[in-house]
Amino acid sequence: MTRASRRAVLGSGLALAAGAAVPAAAAGTAAAAAPRAAAAADTDPWPDDLPLLSGPDFPIGIFWPPPPFETTKQRYQEIVDAGFTFAITGNYLFDQYILKYALTQADAVGLKMLIADDQSLLDLTHRFTISDDRTTPMSISSADAAALAKQIVATYQGHPSLAGFNLYDEPSGQAVFDSLGKAMGAMRTAAPGLLPYINLLPGQGPGQDTYLNAVVDAVHPPLLSFDRYPMSADGNEDPNYLTNWAQHRAVAQAAGIPSWVFIQTLAFNGRRSPSAADLAWQVNISLAYGAKGIQYFTYWTPDPARGEGFQSALLTVDGKRTEHYADSKHLNATWLSRVGKVLKHLPSESVEHANEPNPPARVAVFAPDDWVASVTGAAVVLGRFTDPANASVRYLLVANRTPHATSTVTLGLGPAAKGVAAYVARTDSFTPAKATARLPLTLAPGGATLLRLDG
């Protein structure tokens, strides 16, 4: 979604004024330079036990939760029943009273929460620049920022549902990055056991490399999340969606932090209402690209005052369930929550596109190796993962390149793959394949298959 349409329309609409924006949507070309390795961070590595990033459960989140008058235990149970593990606040939950009430409802049902748009948090991250140069307009000192961060954390501490804070949605501009990095550090010091979260702009090309690396260098986030909504109203998919994913993954890999993404759940502004296959396609392409968290945009339908012609999401403006709720619940329960547990802690080794006549810029094209010697048939995306506990094993997610049709593909396995087993989500187990040299697969529209290759 564009900077104006997501941050200003659905967020607080606040932004730091200083500094020119780093370009984030320059046209991508195959010849563009690859992202450089991230510079050494000036903070310690992030701990391994942060909420949502740690533990066995795959993070499945929502953006735009029920509004204040629908902030009830029953509504929050409805979120959990659909297979979601956390929510990012918003939808007019804009002060500490309703936010603490929301945390209480989340406590009761086991839902984790990332707090956004608390007024003191907006002071720390949006309204003021953090600078010890007292001539800087609209600024607070580093000491003031540290005190404010402690105050913010103290306001919400004691709730088991509190997972962290959403510091900024779609930041842009070096001055914003520099101040946001200081805010990130202040929140990390005040609450070392909570997740300080940000979400980034979409884009492609050299300008997006610059943007992503500037954020990593200045802000040092614990994860790299972005939003891009690819299901177009003309029935096609955004041709730059995969380019964006390839660039995003490359920078996150270089920085040693996980990638998260938002998926599109509703029609708006030239985008179609996603089918069940469209939802699955976004999830499976993202998993193939190594996503370690999936977020749904949106859960509750934004009201007409927000603009952009938002149509029904999982729940309508007046709180009625739509087909998207049923589709998302089924996808989360029968596939994403299960396969996500398998993939969450497996490092992404490679992502390749096979049998695609005109692959997008920046994506890697399939090349035979000792694990997979050939791929014939329909176009697929191959996401391969290593196993930290067993160097002789690889996991291979084979994702259908299209949400529009069932696809068949045959894998020719290489000499390193001495055995192969297919993941069965229904039983949460792997079943050995009858044939290993040539493995035929049938993929539902937008679907995927996870294989374990045993060396």
Side-chain angles (χ1 to χ4, degrees):
M1 197 169 180
T2 63
R3 195 174 315 161
S5 62
R6 182 177 162 99
R7 185 179 62 211
V9 174
L10 292 187
S12 64
L14 297 170
L16 292 171
V22 175
T29 63
R36 59 170 173 74
D42 61 6
T43 60
D44 292 333
W46 288 96
D48 294 330
D49 59 351
L50 287 176
L52 303 180
L53 301 187
S54 61
D57 292 337
F58 190 86
I60 309 174
I62 63 164
F63 185 86
W64 218 243
F69 58 88
E70 293 279 9
T71 300
T72 65
K73 179 182 176 181
Q74 291 74 21
R75 285 298 192 187
Y76 277 45
Q77 185 64 56
E78 190 173 35
I79 296 170
V80 173
D81 289 345
F84 296 104
T85 65
F86 76 98
I88 301 172
T89 64
N91 200 3
Y92 303 102
L93 277 66
F94 288 161
D95 65 50
Q96 63 174 283
Y97 302 104
I98 187 60
L99 288 169
K100 287 193 286 187
Y101 188 76
L103 286 171
T104 299
Q105 311 317 306
D107 290 343
V109 300
L111 183 69
K112 295 297 184 181
M113 300 284 280
L114 295 175
I115 295 295
D117 294 328
D118 167 89
Q119 296 305 302
S120 294
L121 184 62
L122 292 174
D123 287 341
L124 180 70
T125 59
H126 289 69
R127 295 190 179 108
F128 297 100
T129 299
I130 301 173
S131 174
D132 290 321
D133 178 358
R134 305 318 300 140
T135 66
T136 302
M138 291 291 289
S139 65
I140 58 174
S141 69
S142 298
D144 289 337
L148 187 56
K150 290 180 182 178
Q151 174 190 316
I152 294 164
V153 174
T155 298
Y156 301 104
Q157 66 185 4
H159 285 279
S161 59
L162 179 62
F165 296 88
N166 180 8
L167 303 192
Y168 214 114
D169 188 46
E170 298 182 338
S172 179
Q174 190 62 51
V176 173
F177 303 158
D178 292 342
S179 188
L180 183 57
K182 296 171 185 177
M184 179 75 71
M187 291 299 292
R188 181 176 183 177
T189 299
L194 295 176
L195 180 67
Y197 165 97
I198 63 172
N199 177 65
L200 304 183
L201 285 162
Q204 66 279 335
Q208 187 70 1
D209 293 337
T210 301
Y211 172 70
L212 293 172
N213 283 306
V215 170
V216 168
D217 288 345
V219 182
H220 309 299
L223 62 90
L224 218 57
S225 173
F226 79 107
D227 57 77
R228 187 165 191 145
Y229 307 115
M231 318 314 291
S232 301
D234 63 5
N236 295 314
E237 289 69 61
D238 176 359
N240 291 315
Y241 181 64
L242 281 303
T243 299
N244 198 160
W245 242 127
Q247 293 185 244
H248 188 89
R249 175 185 176 275
V251 174
Q253 292 274 103
I257 55 178
S259 296
W260 284 16
V261 71
F262 280 90
I263 68 168
Q264 173 191 336
T265 68
L266 74 172
F268 69 98
N269 194 25
R271 297 168 175 89
R272 68 178 180 266
S273 181
S275 65
D278 289 338
L279 293 174
W281 183 81
Q282 294 176 83
V283 163
N284 286 317
I285 289 295
S286 299
L287 291 176
Y289 267 89
K292 303 304 182 184
I294 301 286
Q295 305 154 99
Y296 284 56
F297 178 88
T298 62
Y299 178 77
W300 202 275
T301 303
D303 60 87
R306 311 310 296 189
E308 294 216 49
F310 288 107
Q311 297 181 30
S312 294
L314 276 67
L315 277 81
T316 63
V317 174
D318 56 355
K320 295 183 175 63
R321 295 182 187 180
T322 71
E323 70 276 11
H324 300 316
Y325 180 92
D327 291 342
S328 300
K329 179 179 181 178
H330 179 77
L331 177 61
N332 291 340
T334 64
W335 178 247
L336 179 54
S337 65
R338 300 185 181 200
V339 76
K341 284 185 178 181
V342 179
L343 296 175
K344 182 177 180 180
H345 297 295
L346 299 181
S348 173
E349 182 178 53
S350 64
V351 186
E352 295 180 325
H353 289 232
N355 308 324
E356 197 164 346
N358 298 297
R362 294 290 189 94
V363 308
V365 177
F366 172 74
D369 64 13
D370 286 344
W371 289 100
V372 182
S374 65
V375 184
T376 57
V380 291
V381 179
L382 308 171
R384 196 160 76 194
F385 304 82
T386 59
D387 185 347
N390 191 339
S392 65
V393 169
R394 294 294 186 273
Y395 290 81
L396 185 69
L397 188 75
V398 184
N400 195 338
R401 183 62 176 83
T402 177
H404 303 292
T406 298
S407 295
T408 58
V409 63
T410 298
L411 302 183
L413 300 182
K418 296 178 175 58
V420 59
Y423 180 68
V424 181
R426 180 176 51 83
T427 59
D428 189 27
S429 61
F430 284 86
T431 300
K434 294 180 180 179
T436 57
R438 292 182 59 79
L439 187 65
L441 301 174
T442 299
L443 306 173
T449 292
L450 178 64
L451 304 173
R452 189 187 67 222
L453 307 181
D454 298 314

